[in-house]
Amino acid sequence: MATEKRIDPWASVDVENYKALMQDFGIEPFSKFREKFKANRYVRRDIIFGHRDFDRIHNSITKKKPWAMMTGLMPSGKFHFGHKMLADIIIWLQQLGGQIYVCSADIEAWLMRDITLEEGYRTAVDEYLTNYVALGLDLKKDFTFWFQSNYTTEYYRLRDMISKRVTFNELKAIYGELSPGKITSVLTQAADILHPQLPSHNGKKPVVVPVGVDQDPHLRLTRDIASRLDAVRENSTRDFPCIPPSSTYHKFMRGLQGGKMSSSRENSYIALTESSETARKKVMNAKTGGRATAEEQKKLGGQPEACTVYDFFVYHLIDDNKELMNIYKDCTSGNRRCGDCKKFCADLIEKFLVGHQKKYKKAKTEVEKFIAKV
Ligand code: TRP
Ligand code: SF4
């Protein structure tokens, strides 16, 4: 067992080799859908790099049949540019015609990260939902939202139903060390993912869950559970027909200091509600792919691959591929100076933040109204 490869969804995974990981866990490359969905920046740039069963979603889109997207947000910390990527993906899938299901993982946050339900509530509403809406999510278009802690929904029966269809050894094989809190989080997440297929939500349909690979263990487990729930059993009225969930896998932006971008490390991220001054400072102090001296930079060129400022261009700031290519060439040929480049980046971020924060203010009232009914 010890030699078996495992992903721990509660540890910080720093993936260096996406290819090897795909091979180990049977994730397919997303490239075959690239042409069709290249209007999306994350697809175009291979940031969404893998999938399981996305063909089902692709088919539904093509045939205009119902399908859904489901994801859970972890209500902790500030909503930053790392989270913006997933928000953009959710909005993109909504625009492609998917029904959108989002839950606040407040039970998981409480069990695994010691965040109270009240804190979780405010973070989910003020940081996540409001920023989603400011970024373009349409609350009025097939959007379902719930808190894991909302015991009035039938989805709790689903969680109980799931606990009957999974064995302890199976959980151990996937997650290794277990605790009751982990088990509850895992079963809750499986219920989250299958929720859109409940009979009360118009039943069986393809559902895609866009995630980072750290969440893949939950997907693998839920897929197995789904096929068991779907199996027709005599004398069983409890299970329900459902399709194993599809998933897409995205890469993560690095933090501004290198390493992971994390809401628990102030200088690693820029929040979408951050002031322009702090944002500028963080960019000016960012880890670049520049050389030690201006002379060396001229001679050898910079290294965009190692540059966290460049990550901002790729993920968020420069949509046009040609323009990005020019920055890349400029950098590697030694014509670009990191100081100027950081300033350019800070200007773009400032411009974005000013526009976004206006939209955020507007979104606030709409979100408060919406959430009062959840
Ligand atoms: N475990 C996820 C995280 O840590 C949050 C989550 C809860 C989730 N339920 C989900 C993600 C369902 C995807 C689908 O971020
Ligand atoms: Fe990064 Fe720009 Fe410096 Fe190149 S020039 S290493 S892209 S900051």
Side-chain angles (χ1 to χ4, degrees):
M1 262 319 192
T3 53
E4 209 169 284
K5 287 184 180 136
R6 229 179 238 143
I7 298 172
D8 178 354
W10 297 283
S12 76
V13 246
D14 222 349
V15 181
E16 278 178 12
N17 193 338
Y18 284 98
K19 278 231 168 70
L21 197 112
M22 286 164 76
Q23 270 170 7
D24 288 344
F25 292 101
I27 296 170
E28 303 282 323
F30 199 76
S31 45
K32 73 174 194 198
F33 302 109
R34 198 185 294 143
E35 199 44 41
K36 166 119 188 206
F37 296 111
K38 68 177 178 206
N40 181 282
R41 187 168 67 242
Y42 304 110
V43 172
R44 191 161 71 233
R45 301 199 174 144
D46 225 16
I47 291 166
I48 298 177
F49 67 91
H51 77 101
R52 285 185 205 273
D53 281 347
F54 192 78
D55 305 71
R56 275 208 263 277
I57 302 296
H58 178 246
N59 268 339
S60 303
I61 293 174
T62 315
K63 298 195 177 124
K64 299 206 163 29
K65 293 215 170 121
W67 60 281
M69 172 315 311
M70 193 281 136
T71 189
L73 58 89
M74 176 55 69
S76 94
K78 290 275 174 203
F79 186 92
H80 55 59
F81 275 88
H83 301 121
K84 175 180 175 285
M85 166 177 63
L86 183 57
D88 290 337
I89 295 174
I90 296 173
I91 292 160
W92 168 58
L93 293 169
Q94 184 177 48
Q95 287 164 354
L96 286 176
Q99 298 162 24
I100 304 298
Y101 288 79
V102 178
C103 86
S104 169
D106 58 349
I107 290 290
E108 183 181 359
W110 177 55
L111 289 172
M112 304 302 293
R113 302 192 188 186
D114 251 337
I115 290 165
T116 67
L117 294 184
E118 291 74 19
E119 284 166 348
Y121 180 87
R122 286 293 10 137
T123 304
V125 175
D126 297 343
E127 294 295 329
Y128 283 80
L129 272 185
T130 311
N131 276 307
Y132 284 178
V133 172
L135 288 169
L137 183 77
D138 187 347
L139 295 177
K140 295 192 189 79
K141 194 178 148 210
D142 278 333
F143 180 68
T144 307
F145 181 83
W146 72 95
F147 293 90
Q148 285 183 333
S149 64
N150 183 353
Y151 283 87
T152 60
T153 65
E154 69 175 317
Y155 131 90
Y156 276 92
R157 261 95 66 207
L158 175 56
R159 191 174 74 180
D160 300 342
M161 187 197 290
I162 282 169
S163 65
K164 189 176 175 180
R165 297 284 170 235
V166 66
T167 70
F168 193 70
N169 283 340
E170 188 178 13
L171 293 183
K172 264 187 123 164
I174 297 179
Y175 298 99
E177 188 91 6
L178 285 172
S179 68
K182 273 190 195 176
I183 296 177
T184 303
S185 300
V186 164
L187 298 178
T188 308
Q189 182 149 345
D192 292 340
I193 296 173
L194 295 175
H195 186 175
Q197 301 193 65
L198 281 170
S200 57
H201 287 269
N202 295 327
K204 198 167 180 168
K205 66 176 81 59
V207 176
V208 60
V209 187
V211 285
V213 280
D214 60 312
Q215 297 295 307
D216 190 50
H218 303 311
L219 262 309
R220 273 182 274 136
L221 177 71
T222 310
R223 286 164 63 84
D224 287 346
I225 294 171
S227 28
R228 283 170 218 159
L229 291 172
D230 188 56
V232 182
R233 285 185 189 80
E234 258 178 85
N235 301 326
S236 166
T237 48
R238 282 173 202 240
D239 296 356
F240 69 104
C242 57
I243 306 173
S246 309
S247 43
T248 59
Y249 299 87
H250 50 251
K251 295 179 186 166
F252 288 106
M253 255 184 113
R254 287 165 294 193
L256 284 166
Q257 305 289 315
K260 245 196 129 186
M261 182 177 289
S262 152
S263 43
S264 55
R265 285 160 56 202
E266 267 287 320
N267 287 325
S268 75
Y269 68 82
I270 292 173
L272 268 66
T273 46
E274 193 127 355
S275 73
S276 301
E277 296 80 40
T278 349
R280 292 197 81 91
K281 257 189 224 144
K282 287 183 181 180
V283 176
M284 294 317 285
N285 289 321
K287 179 178 172 286
T288 70
R291 306 286 174 177
T293 64
E295 238 166 75
E296 259 184 64
Q297 178 94 347
K298 255 205 179 131
K299 215 164 74 201
L300 303 166
Q303 295 170 293
E305 291 83 2
C307 180
T308 70
V309 175
Y310 191 72
D311 269 12
F312 265 87
F313 297 144
V314 175
Y315 281 74
H316 300 288
L317 300 173
I318 309 279
D319 197 54
D320 183 63
N321 265 13
K322 260 197 214 131
E323 203 183 327
L324 185 72
M325 206 26 142
N326 285 340
I327 296 180
Y328 186 92
K329 281 188 197 143
D330 234 21
C331 171
T332 50
S333 66
N335 287 330
R336 212 171 165 86
R337 296 211 318 238
C338 292
D340 298 336
C341 189
K342 284 195 277 194
K343 202 169 155 299
F344 172 67
C345 179
D347 287 344
L348 290 179
I349 288 181
E350 180 167 352
K351 193 165 160 229
F352 171 83
L353 288 180
V354 170
H356 179 78
Q357 288 167 14
K358 273 193 202 134
K359 293 185 200 145
Y360 179 93
K361 264 199 196 139
K362 269 204 200 143
K364 229 171 157 43
T365 354
E366 192 189 334
V367 170
E368 286 297 342
K369 260 192 223 148
F370 171 84
I371 208 72
K373 288 189 234 139
V374 168

